[in-house]
């Protein structure tokens, strides 16, 4: 503990030293869609092969009208061995997060013109929260922190605990540490700068001034930016969240199944009847429940047992099979076109924002098109989200023909080199025939412009509607085609059993689930985790 407090102390003295050139995020009057550092011309940058990235993070917004000249002197502030030298020459293994810095930099003197320092050159001062003018580039705390990080469990959350020790609010200390983490993971310095600038803008926008308010968002963004998502702790976090979200569904299914198992000494007809009732009550749906029952009966028969004690294992096994992920071809010819469909209020617009946020955090350039032209408020809501997450936005205004919006947005996405185009659509069910015709028309026009588009037709369903989600899937699948399903509002509903129904009834994969209203609350659907969260781990 003594060592740890010592590091904290070193951090503290570092922070107290003047860092004049560094405006706080409060000073940074952050525009919603802050211009991203595009990076200067290639000649200005020293980029080692490992530092090269195909695309800068979220280079979506327009370039700032006036490049900030003040950034130039910044370069000279780090005259020797900038800490990104920590990004050692050792082979970076992509996808394998390892803290592999070199405490004693073997960097040639030419290195000062580091991309870290050069990157913010095009960034307006207001959106340049910490620039790279970090004092104490060679300060001993960096070495101490390297040791701390290396000794920690290789988990983002563990690293974040160390990085955030003693940090209570946004500011230079935090930016500095975030850059340090990027460098330690051998991520390019310009990515670190872009990340920090964007995050600071977001904090200013949200008016979050305490670490506790944004820690989980920070971890989420870091996981995406550093490609650490499949890390154990991320999975555990999701699992916990899923378990919490499924608490009511669990009450509905698991408690009653436990009751069933406790009250029967043998698996007989009465047992099966009671089970079917439980499944139907939990919104699995009548037909899916019957199918599930058949499968379970078959499994029990094969096992040659009538002992209720083994039943939960069999059920867990069956759910694992239902949710086994399908292999699909993920490669596409960019721009990837994603069409979001579903009835009003299910969460299409919010889900587009959440998906765009994920993409942008991974360095993609995203365009969102306002295809729900029925209400002006819908367009406005989408525009606010696009600004918030830093996506570009395309609208033709209220009452415009949604297919024309899609056609023109497709054009823009192609000519301006977007990676992803999200098409929002209307969901007025009372004009069912028109809606389905409209969706088919959108499909036709984008396909005409771009072969293979839309690459993904995503049906958004609201888990709280239970059985309705099943009938909506049927309807949209028949009329417009559905490639994947995103199930929102799983948090706090007792009707989560509908997931089982959907997985059993349609050959359409569930790809994400919504577990709340925040950006980070949209998570990839992992069937095994779902089954385990639902039935509990034993
Ligand atoms: N609790 C919760 N609310 C959500 C979730 N997804 C969306 N919402 C909320 O659902 C409401 C309707 O969402 P919206 O995106 O406007 O739906 P749309 O009409 O389909 O575009 C909004 O208040 C969202 O914040 C979720 O996963 N959990
Ligand atoms: Mg909407």
């Amino acid at each position: 503990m003594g060592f740890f407090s010592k590091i904290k102390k070193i951090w503290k003295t570092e922070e107290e030293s003047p860092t004049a050139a560094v405006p706080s995020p409060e000073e940074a009057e952050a525009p919603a869609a802050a211009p991203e550092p595009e990076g200067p011309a290639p000649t200005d940058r020293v980029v080692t092969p490992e530092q090269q990235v195909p695309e800068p993070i979220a280079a979506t917004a327009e370039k700032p009208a006036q490049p900030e000249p003040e950034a130039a002197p910044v370069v000279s502030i780090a005259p020797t061995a900038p800490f990104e030298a920590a990004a050692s020459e050792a082979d970076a293994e992509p996808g394998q997060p390892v803290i592999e810095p070199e405490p004693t930099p073997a960097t040639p003197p030419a290195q000062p013109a580091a991309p870290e320092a050069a990157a913010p050159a095009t960034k307006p001062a207001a959106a340049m929260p910490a620039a790279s003018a970090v004092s104490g580039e060679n300060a001993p705390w960096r070495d101490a922190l390297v040791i701390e990080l290396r000794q920690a469990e290789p988990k983002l959350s563990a690293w974040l605990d160390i990085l955030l020790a003693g940090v209570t609010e946004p500011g230079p200390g935090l930016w500095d540490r975030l850059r340090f983490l990027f460098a330690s993971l051998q991520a390019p310095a310009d990515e670190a700068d872009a990340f920090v600038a964007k995050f600071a803008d977001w904090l200013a926008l949200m008016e979050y001034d305490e670490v506790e308010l944004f820690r989980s968002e920070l971890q989420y963004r870091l996981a995406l930016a550093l490609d650490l998502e499949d890390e154990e702790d991320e999975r555990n976090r999701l699992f916990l969240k899923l378990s919490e979200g499924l608490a009511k569904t669990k009450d509905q299914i698991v408690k009653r199944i436990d009751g069933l198992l406790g009250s029967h000494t043998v698996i007989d007809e009465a047992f099966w009847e009671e089970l079917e009732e439980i499944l139907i009550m939990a919104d699995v749906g009548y037909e899916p429940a019957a199918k599930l029952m058949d499968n379970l009966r078959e499994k029990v028969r094969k096992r040659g047992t009538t002992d209720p004690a083994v039943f939960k294992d069999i059920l867990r096994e069956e759910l694992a099979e239902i949710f086994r992920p399908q292999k699909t071809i993920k490669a596409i010819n960019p721009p990837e076109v994603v069409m979001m469909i579903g009835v009003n209020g299910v969460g299409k617009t919010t889900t587009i924002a959440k998906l765009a946020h994920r993409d942008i955090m991974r360095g993609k350039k995203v365009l969102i098109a306002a295809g729900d032209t029925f209400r002006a408020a819908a367009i406005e809501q989408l525009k606010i989200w696009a600004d918030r997450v830093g996506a570009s936005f395309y609208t033709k205004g209220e009452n415009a023909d949604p297919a024309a919006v899609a056609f023109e947005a497709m054009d823009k996405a192609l000519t301006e080199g977007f990676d992803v185009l999200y098409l929002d659509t209307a969901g007025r069910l009372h004009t069912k025939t028109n809606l389905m015709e409209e969706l088919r028309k959108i499909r036709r026009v984008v396909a005409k412009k771009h072969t293979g588009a839309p690459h993904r037709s995503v049906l958004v369903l609201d888990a709280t509607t239970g059985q309705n989600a099943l009938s909506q899937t049927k309807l949209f699948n028949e009329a417009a085609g559905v490639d994947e399903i995103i199930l929102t509002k799983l948090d706090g509903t007792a009707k989560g059993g509908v997931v089982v129904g959907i997985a059993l009834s349609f050959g359409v994969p569930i790809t994400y689930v919504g577990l709340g209203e925040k950006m980070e609350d949209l998570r990839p659907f992992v069937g095994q985790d779902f089954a385990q969260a639902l039935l509990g781990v034993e």
Side-chain angles (χ1 to χ4, degrees):
M1 204 58 214
F3 179 61
F4 201 50
S5 346
K6 217 156 83 191
I7 294 172
K8 278 197 206 167
K9 224 170 127 193
I10 299 166
W11 278 120
K12 223 167 165 331
T13 31
E14 272 311 314
E15 265 163 41
E16 281 154 9
S17 69
T19 46
V22 183
S24 73
E26 293 80 39
E27 287 167 279
E29 253 282 87
E36 292 308 310
E38 295 252 336
T43 44
D44 295 348
R45 329 170 45 181
V46 177
V47 181
T48 64
E50 312 90 307
Q51 285 172 325
Q52 256 162 1
V53 268
E55 316 139 354
I57 284 193
T60 53
E62 324 76 64
K63 281 184 187 135
Q66 281 187 316
E68 179 49 57
E70 267 172 48
V74 163
V75 179
S76 63
I77 295 180
T80 54
F83 73 79
E84 81 274 22
S88 78
E89 257 75 272
D91 279 353
E93 269 184 66
Q96 257 211 326
V98 181
I99 299 283
E100 198 63 77
E102 301 248 310
T104 3
T107 322
Q111 194 69 5
E116 175 206 40
T122 53
K123 191 132 192 90
M128 190 176 60
S132 297
V134 177
S135 63
E137 294 277 336
N138 290 318
W141 59 257
R142 289 186 189 279
D143 289 350
L145 200 69
V146 164
I147 295 164
E148 264 293 280
L149 287 171
R150 287 183 71 114
Q151 284 172 349
E153 247 185 304
K155 283 182 178 180
L156 179 57
S157 58
W159 294 337
L160 213 50
D161 280 346
I162 293 168
L163 279 168
L164 296 180
V167 182
T168 51
E169 52 186 36
L174 177 61
W175 315 142
D176 198 3
R177 277 165 236 209
L178 290 177
R179 287 201 180 88
F180 184 81
L181 180 65
F182 271 77
S184 304
L185 288 166
Q186 301 182 322
D190 54 353
E191 270 187 24
D193 278 336
F195 181 92
V196 165
K198 198 166 183 61
F199 190 60
D201 284 350
W202 181 79
L203 289 181
L205 187 77
M206 302 300 284
E207 296 180 2
Y208 285 161
D209 55 3
E210 278 174 47
V211 168
E212 276 323 302
L213 295 173
F214 60 75
R215 192 200 144 109
S216 66
E217 170 75 18
L218 177 61
Q219 182 166 335
Y220 178 65
R221 287 180 177 224
L222 284 170
L224 292 176
L226 295 165
D227 231 354
L228 302 175
E229 180 150 53
D230 287 329
E231 231 193 322
E232 243 352 82
D233 66 295
E234 279 297 298
R235 297 248 345 231
N236 287 346
R237 237 157 57 90
L238 169 62
F239 185 74
L240 275 178
K241 179 108 202 189
L242 196 61
S243 297
E244 275 165 32
L246 286 173
K248 285 192 186 158
T249 302
K250 256 167 118 168
D251 275 358
Q252 187 66 252
I253 299 185
V254 184
K255 286 214 178 128
R256 297 192 62 188
I257 286 180
D258 285 344
L260 171 76
L261 299 181
S263 62
H264 286 76
T265 48
V266 57
I267 300 178
D268 54 9
E269 258 331 289
F271 176 94
W272 289 116
E273 268 172 35
E274 209 175 312
L275 177 66
E276 186 166 28
E277 199 186 306
I278 293 171
L279 295 175
I280 290 168
M281 292 295 287
D283 272 85
V284 170
Y286 186 76
E287 278 175 34
K291 205 165 161 182
L292 182 57
M293 293 277 295
D294 284 349
N295 295 351
L296 289 170
R297 276 177 193 264
E298 179 62 18
K299 277 206 162 72
V300 169
R301 195 186 58 77
K302 272 196 184 149
R303 194 73 76 97
T305 178
T306 54
D307 183 2
V310 297
F311 182 76
K312 239 180 167 177
D313 276 345
I314 293 174
L315 183 58
R316 198 173 286 123
E317 215 176 274
E318 174 62 18
L319 288 181
E321 271 172 41
I322 294 171
F323 293 129
R324 184 161 295 141
Q326 300 169 355
K327 288 260 174 284
T328 50
I329 302 287
K330 296 270 176 2
I332 48 106
N333 49 325
E336 178 175 24
V337 180
V338 185
M339 188 173 158
M340 301 293 279
I341 60 179
V343 306
N344 267 350
V346 290
K348 282 187 301 299
T349 302
T350 342
T351 303
I352 287 177
K354 289 171 176 174
L355 288 170
H357 183 60
R358 291 179 67 88
D359 291 340
I360 288 165
M361 286 300 115
R362 293 184 152 149
K364 291 189 180 167
K365 190 173 159 179
V366 178
L367 178 64
I368 298 176
D372 181 359
T373 58
F374 193 63
R375 291 169 306 136
I379 300 172
E380 192 48 37
Q381 181 202 6
L382 192 63
K383 164 93 173 86
I384 291 168
W385 275 120
D387 286 349
R388 246 183 234 173
V389 301
S392 295
F393 182 67
Y394 186 80
T395 177
K396 270 173 76 76
E398 201 181 347
N399 297 325
D401 173 12
V405 174
F407 188 79
E408 287 170 31
M410 188 70 253
D411 211 25
K412 183 177 165 76
L414 281 165
T415 53
E416 294 176 29
F418 281 90
D419 299 305
V420 193
L421 165 63
Y422 286 102
L423 297 169
D424 194 13
T425 62
R428 306 175 308 279
L429 258 197
H430 56 274
T431 53
K432 218 187 292 186
T433 337
N434 288 348
L435 174 64
M436 296 305 164
E437 186 43 51
E438 189 175 294
L439 296 177
R440 279 193 289 263
K441 195 170 157 197
I442 294 172
R443 287 190 78 113
R444 277 200 304 274
V445 300
V446 294
K448 226 175 182 174
K449 266 229 163 303
H450 185 42
T451 313
H455 302 87
R456 292 159 59 201
S457 169
V458 181
L459 176 65
V460 182
L461 297 170
D462 176 344
T464 63
T465 63
Q467 291 302 288
N468 276 338
L470 284 169
S471 51
Q472 285 166 23
T473 309
K474 194 166 185 302
L475 178 74
F476 279 91
N477 202 19
E478 283 168 4
V482 176
D483 301 313
E484 61 186 85
I485 287 171
I486 292 180
L487 200 65
T488 63
K489 310 188 197 179
L490 255 183
D491 50 309
T493 177
K495 299 183 173 182
V498 71
V499 178
V500 181
I502 290 167
L504 264 169
S505 308
F506 309 95
V508 184
I510 299 167
T511 50
Y512 290 91
V513 285
L515 295 164
E517 294 188 74
K518 295 205 296 287
M519 289 290 101
E520 68 200 72
D521 293 336
L522 182 78
R523 291 306 179 118
F525 177 75
V526 182
Q528 304 282 5
D529 286 356
F530 183 85
Q532 223 166 54
L534 192 64
L535 296 179
V537 193
E538 266 158 33

